[in-house]
Amino acid sequence: KYAFVGLPLAEFIPGGSINRDNIGVGRLCLVDKSLPADSYVQGVVILTSRAKALASWLAGTEVAGVKADLRKRELVMETDIDNQYLMAKLDDDQRREAANYEEGKDALNGLHFISVQTDENNDPAGFWLLREIPENL
């Protein structure tokens, strides 16, 4: 299972509740200080009973990000230089959520996150705060 979620940008800056001590495996990119402090960072939470195994596997790759291809109706994780993994096919409701996710990423210069958890009540087994690099660079 997965869900599109948003977390306050303030959670990722010094003094916020998300830091290297509570993300499990993964990494946190630097947050641009010029971004509006009241913004929400969009992300994908993956809920699985095998959260530790999935997070460990992802930690062995270079996670680049998650993209929603609205035209193809697909949610795709990009890793390493040229690997892509189909995470889900999107129905109409999921496609609308994915469009909001992509708009939120664009508003924060590509900043987004991936969290891997056993359920919504537990700390993540893995967490990646990422910045998507524009394709035209």
Side-chain angles (χ1 to χ4, degrees), residues 2 10-13 22 36 45-46 59 63 73 76-77 82 84 86 89 92 95 98 103-104 108 110 112-113 117 135:
Y2 72 93
E11 298 295 331
F12 298 101
I13 60 175
N22 62 8
V45 175
I46 302 168
V63 178
R73 297 178 167 257
V76 177
M77 182 179 292
D82 60 357
Q84 294 184 335
L86 177 64
K89 291 284 194 177
D92 289 341
R95 188 172 181 263
E103 287 173 15
L108 295 180
H112 66 292
F113 68 87
Q117 302 172 215
E135 291 182 17

Side-chain angles (χ1 to χ4, degrees), residues 6 9 19 35 54 58 62 95 104 107 115 118 129-131:
L9 179 65
N19 56 58
L35 294 174
L54 178 58
L58 287 173
E62 186 66 35
R95 188 172 181 263
S115 182
T118 54
L129 179 63
L130 306 161
R131 178 167 290 108

Side-chain angles (χ1 to χ4, degrees), residues 21-74:
D21 297 331
N22 62 8
I23 64 167
V25 299
R27 71 173 198 262
L28 301 173
C29 71
L30 295 176
V31 175
D32 183 349
K33 293 178 181 164
S34 69
L35 294 174
D38 60 347
S39 301
Y40 276 77
V41 179
Q42 299 302 307
V44 176
V45 175
I46 302 168
L47 301 171
T48 174
S49 60
R50 297 184 41 93
K52 286 186 180 179
L54 178 58
S56 294
W57 178 76
L58 287 173
T61 69
E62 186 66 35
V63 178
V66 174
K67 285 188 180 182
D69 186 328
L70 302 176
R71 189 178 54 76
K72 291 183 180 178
R73 297 178 167 257
E74 294 177 343

